[in-house]
mmCIF file with all atom_site columns, all heavy atoms in Angstrom:
data_model
loop_
_atom_site.group_PDB
_atom_site.id
_atom_site.type_symbol
_atom_site.label_atom_id
_atom_site.label_alt_id
_atom_site.label_comp_id
_atom_site.label_asym_id
_atom_site.label_entity_id
_atom_site.label_seq_id
_atom_site.pdbx_PDB_ins_code
_atom_site.Cartn_x
_atom_site.Cartn_y
_atom_site.Cartn_z
_atom_site.occupancy
_atom_site.B_iso_or_equiv
_atom_site.pdbx_formal_charge
_atom_site.auth_seq_id
_atom_site.auth_comp_id
_atom_site.auth_asym_id
_atom_site.auth_atom_id
_atom_site.pdbx_PDB_model_num
ATOM 1  N N   . ILE A 1 9  ? -34.682 36.817 202.962 1.00 0.00 ? 9  ILE A N   1
ATOM 2  C CA  . ILE A 1 9  ? -34.288 38.228 202.768 1.00 0.00 ? 9  ILE A CA  1
ATOM 3  C C   . ILE A 1 9  ? -32.799 38.411 203.023 1.00 0.00 ? 9  ILE A C   1
ATOM 4  O O   . ILE A 1 9  ? -32.131 39.120 202.277 1.00 0.00 ? 9  ILE A O   1
ATOM 5  C CB  . ILE A 1 9  ? -35.125 39.142 203.692 1.00 0.00 ? 9  ILE A CB  1
ATOM 6  C CG1 . ILE A 1 9  ? -36.576 39.151 203.222 1.00 0.00 ? 9  ILE A CG1 1
ATOM 7  C CG2 . ILE A 1 9  ? -34.546 40.542 203.725 1.00 0.00 ? 9  ILE A CG2 1
ATOM 8  C CD1 . ILE A 1 9  ? -37.536 39.827 204.162 1.00 0.00 ? 9  ILE A CD1 1
ATOM 9  N N   . GLN A 1 13 ? -30.137 40.313 200.534 1.00 0.00 ? 13 GLN A N   1
ATOM 10 C CA  . GLN A 1 13 ? -29.400 41.488 201.009 1.00 0.00 ? 13 GLN A CA  1
ATOM 11 C C   . GLN A 1 13 ? -27.889 41.278 200.801 1.00 0.00 ? 13 GLN A C   1
ATOM 12 O O   . GLN A 1 13 ? -27.206 42.194 200.396 1.00 0.00 ? 13 GLN A O   1
ATOM 13 C CB  . GLN A 1 13 ? -29.719 41.757 202.479 1.00 0.00 ? 13 GLN A CB  1
ATOM 14 C CG  . GLN A 1 13 ? -31.114 42.303 202.657 1.00 0.00 ? 13 GLN A CG  1
ATOM 15 C CD  . GLN A 1 13 ? -31.523 42.489 204.084 1.00 0.00 ? 13 GLN A CD  1
ATOM 16 O OE1 . GLN A 1 13 ? -31.205 41.687 204.931 1.00 0.00 ? 13 GLN A OE1 1
ATOM 17 N NE2 . GLN A 1 13 ? -32.226 43.584 204.346 1.00 0.00 ? 13 GLN A NE2 1
ATOM 18 N N   . THR A 1 43 ? -29.811 47.528 200.562 1.00 0.00 ? 43 THR A N   1
ATOM 19 C CA  . THR A 1 43 ? -30.295 46.235 201.076 1.00 0.00 ? 43 THR A CA  1
ATOM 20 C C   . THR A 1 43 ? -31.763 46.245 201.489 1.00 0.00 ? 43 THR A C   1
ATOM 21 O O   . THR A 1 43 ? -32.266 45.268 202.053 1.00 0.00 ? 43 THR A O   1
ATOM 22 C CB  . THR A 1 43 ? -29.450 45.757 202.270 1.00 0.00 ? 43 THR A CB  1
ATOM 23 O OG1 . THR A 1 43 ? -29.539 46.717 203.314 1.00 0.00 ? 43 THR A OG1 1
ATOM 24 C CG2 . THR A 1 43 ? -27.997 45.566 201.854 1.00 0.00 ? 43 THR A CG2 1
ATOM 25 N N   . ARG A 1 44 ? -32.452 47.380 201.235 1.00 0.00 ? 44 ARG A N   1
ATOM 26 C CA  . ARG A 1 44 ? -33.850 47.451 201.653 1.00 0.00 ? 44 ARG A CA  1
ATOM 27 C C   . ARG A 1 44 ? -34.795 48.079 200.631 1.00 0.00 ? 44 ARG A C   1
ATOM 28 O O   . ARG A 1 44 ? -35.993 48.138 200.853 1.00 0.00 ? 44 ARG A O   1
ATOM 29 C CB  . ARG A 1 44 ? -33.939 48.250 202.951 1.00 0.00 ? 44 ARG A CB  1
ATOM 30 C CG  . ARG A 1 44 ? -33.111 47.637 204.059 1.00 0.00 ? 44 ARG A CG  1
ATOM 31 C CD  . ARG A 1 44 ? -33.535 48.059 205.451 1.00 0.00 ? 44 ARG A CD  1
ATOM 32 N NE  . ARG A 1 44 ? -34.906 47.883 205.734 1.00 0.00 ? 44 ARG A NE  1
ATOM 33 C CZ  . ARG A 1 44 ? -35.475 46.724 206.110 1.00 0.00 ? 44 ARG A CZ  1
ATOM 34 N NH1 . ARG A 1 44 ? -34.776 45.632 206.206 1.00 0.00 ? 44 ARG A NH1 1
ATOM 35 N NH2 . ARG A 1 44 ? -36.746 46.655 206.420 1.00 0.00 ? 44 ARG A NH2 1
ATOM 36 N N   . PHE A 1 45 ? -34.262 48.540 199.483 1.00 0.00 ? 45 PHE A N   1
ATOM 37 C CA  . PHE A 1 45 ? -35.090 49.310 198.545 1.00 0.00 ? 45 PHE A CA  1
ATOM 38 C C   . PHE A 1 45 ? -36.313 48.560 198.037 1.00 0.00 ? 45 PHE A C   1
ATOM 39 O O   . PHE A 1 45 ? -37.284 49.153 197.660 1.00 0.00 ? 45 PHE A O   1
ATOM 40 C CB  . PHE A 1 45 ? -34.276 49.842 197.378 1.00 0.00 ? 45 PHE A CB  1
ATOM 41 C CG  . PHE A 1 45 ? -33.741 48.783 196.410 1.00 0.00 ? 45 PHE A CG  1
ATOM 42 C CD1 . PHE A 1 45 ? -34.478 48.423 195.316 1.00 0.00 ? 45 PHE A CD1 1
ATOM 43 C CD2 . PHE A 1 45 ? -32.498 48.179 196.671 1.00 0.00 ? 45 PHE A CD2 1
ATOM 44 C CE1 . PHE A 1 45 ? -33.971 47.441 194.450 1.00 0.00 ? 45 PHE A CE1 1
ATOM 45 C CE2 . PHE A 1 45 ? -32.014 47.247 195.787 1.00 0.00 ? 45 PHE A CE2 1
ATOM 46 C CZ  . PHE A 1 45 ? -32.753 46.863 194.695 1.00 0.00 ? 45 PHE A CZ  1
ATOM 47 N N   . TRP A 1 46 ? -36.275 47.228 198.025 1.00 0.00 ? 46 TRP A N   1
ATOM 48 C CA  . TRP A 1 46 ? -37.420 46.452 197.519 1.00 0.00 ? 46 TRP A CA  1
ATOM 49 C C   . TRP A 1 46 ? -38.360 45.983 198.644 1.00 0.00 ? 46 TRP A C   1
ATOM 50 O O   . TRP A 1 46 ? -39.361 45.363 198.400 1.00 0.00 ? 46 TRP A O   1
ATOM 51 C CB  . TRP A 1 46 ? -36.904 45.232 196.740 1.00 0.00 ? 46 TRP A CB  1
ATOM 52 C CG  . TRP A 1 46 ? -36.265 44.188 197.594 1.00 0.00 ? 46 TRP A CG  1
ATOM 53 C CD1 . TRP A 1 46 ? -36.881 43.092 198.176 1.00 0.00 ? 46 TRP A CD1 1
ATOM 54 C CD2 . TRP A 1 46 ? -34.933 44.128 198.016 1.00 0.00 ? 46 TRP A CD2 1
ATOM 55 N NE1 . TRP A 1 46 ? -36.005 42.376 198.890 1.00 0.00 ? 46 TRP A NE1 1
ATOM 56 C CE2 . TRP A 1 46 ? -34.763 42.989 198.805 1.00 0.00 ? 46 TRP A CE2 1
ATOM 57 C CE3 . TRP A 1 46 ? -33.817 44.926 197.784 1.00 0.00 ? 46 TRP A CE3 1
ATOM 58 C CZ2 . TRP A 1 46 ? -33.537 42.618 199.363 1.00 0.00 ? 46 TRP A CZ2 1
ATOM 59 C CZ3 . TRP A 1 46 ? -32.578 44.542 198.352 1.00 0.00 ? 46 TRP A CZ3 1
ATOM 60 C CH2 . TRP A 1 46 ? -32.487 43.419 199.137 1.00 0.00 ? 46 TRP A CH2 1
ATOM 61 N N   . LEU A 1 47 ? -38.004 46.268 199.894 1.00 0.00 ? 47 LEU A N   1
ATOM 62 C CA  . LEU A 1 47 ? -38.805 45.842 201.057 1.00 0.00 ? 47 LEU A CA  1
ATOM 63 C C   . LEU A 1 47 ? -39.740 46.956 201.522 1.00 0.00 ? 47 LEU A C   1
ATOM 64 O O   . LEU A 1 47 ? -39.490 47.628 202.495 1.00 0.00 ? 47 LEU A O   1
ATOM 65 C CB  . LEU A 1 47 ? -37.901 45.427 202.201 1.00 0.00 ? 47 LEU A CB  1
ATOM 66 C CG  . LEU A 1 47 ? -36.957 44.273 201.894 1.00 0.00 ? 47 LEU A CG  1
ATOM 67 C CD1 . LEU A 1 47 ? -35.947 44.085 203.055 1.00 0.00 ? 47 LEU A CD1 1
ATOM 68 C CD2 . LEU A 1 47 ? -37.761 42.987 201.718 1.00 0.00 ? 47 LEU A CD2 1
ATOM 69 N N   . GLN A 1 48 ? -40.852 47.119 200.862 1.00 0.00 ? 48 GLN A N   1
ATOM 70 C CA  . GLN A 1 48 ? -41.829 48.152 201.197 1.00 0.00 ? 48 GLN A CA  1
ATOM 71 C C   . GLN A 1 48 ? -41.132 49.517 201.384 1.00 0.00 ? 48 GLN A C   1
ATOM 72 O O   . GLN A 1 48 ? -41.357 50.207 202.338 1.00 0.00 ? 48 GLN A O   1
ATOM 73 C CB  . GLN A 1 48 ? -42.602 47.795 202.484 1.00 0.00 ? 48 GLN A CB  1
ATOM 74 C CG  . GLN A 1 48 ? -43.387 46.552 202.326 1.00 0.00 ? 48 GLN A CG  1
ATOM 75 C CD  . GLN A 1 48 ? -44.085 46.143 203.595 1.00 0.00 ? 48 GLN A CD  1
ATOM 76 O OE1 . GLN A 1 48 ? -43.816 46.635 204.663 1.00 0.00 ? 48 GLN A OE1 1
ATOM 77 N NE2 . GLN A 1 48 ? -44.984 45.187 203.461 1.00 0.00 ? 48 GLN A NE2 1
ATOM 78 N N   . SER A 1 49 ? -40.250 49.843 200.450 1.00 0.00 ? 49 SER A N   1
ATOM 79 C CA  . SER A 1 49 ? -39.470 51.052 200.543 1.00 0.00 ? 49 SER A CA  1
ATOM 80 C C   . SER A 1 49 ? -39.592 51.878 199.268 1.00 0.00 ? 49 SER A C   1
ATOM 81 O O   . SER A 1 49 ? -40.718 52.101 198.794 1.00 0.00 ? 49 SER A O   1
ATOM 82 C CB  . SER A 1 49 ? -37.999 50.680 200.811 1.00 0.00 ? 49 SER A CB  1
ATOM 83 O OG  . SER A 1 49 ? -37.218 51.822 201.047 1.00 0.00 ? 49 SER A OG  1
ATOM 84 N N   . SER A 1 50 ? -38.485 52.304 198.692 1.00 0.00 ? 50 SER A N   1
ATOM 85 C CA  . SER A 1 50 ? -38.523 53.260 197.603 1.00 0.00 ? 50 SER A CA  1
ATOM 86 C C   . SER A 1 50 ? -38.814 52.630 196.239 1.00 0.00 ? 50 SER A C   1
ATOM 87 O O   . SER A 1 50 ? -39.342 53.333 195.368 1.00 0.00 ? 50 SER A O   1
ATOM 88 C CB  . SER A 1 50 ? -37.146 53.996 197.521 1.00 0.00 ? 50 SER A CB  1
ATOM 89 O OG  . SER A 1 50 ? -36.128 53.072 197.341 1.00 0.00 ? 50 SER A OG  1
ATOM 90 N N   . LEU A 1 51 ? -38.514 51.384 196.023 1.00 0.00 ? 51 LEU A N   1
ATOM 91 C CA  . LEU A 1 51 ? -38.817 50.746 194.741 1.00 0.00 ? 51 LEU A CA  1
ATOM 92 C C   . LEU A 1 51 ? -40.302 50.473 194.631 1.00 0.00 ? 51 LEU A C   1
ATOM 93 O O   . LEU A 1 51 ? -40.869 49.792 195.505 1.00 0.00 ? 51 LEU A O   1
ATOM 94 C CB  . LEU A 1 51 ? -38.020 49.410 194.574 1.00 0.00 ? 51 LEU A CB  1
ATOM 95 C CG  . LEU A 1 51 ? -38.245 48.716 193.235 1.00 0.00 ? 51 LEU A CG  1
ATOM 96 C CD1 . LEU A 1 51 ? -37.675 49.519 192.082 1.00 0.00 ? 51 LEU A CD1 1
ATOM 97 C CD2 . LEU A 1 51 ? -37.632 47.318 193.260 1.00 0.00 ? 51 LEU A CD2 1
#
Side-chain angles (χ1 to χ4, degrees):
I9 291 172
Q13 288 176 320
T43 61
R44 301 201 54 80
F45 68 91
W46 69 93
L47 298 171
Q48 298 177 347
S49 186
S50 59
L51 181 67

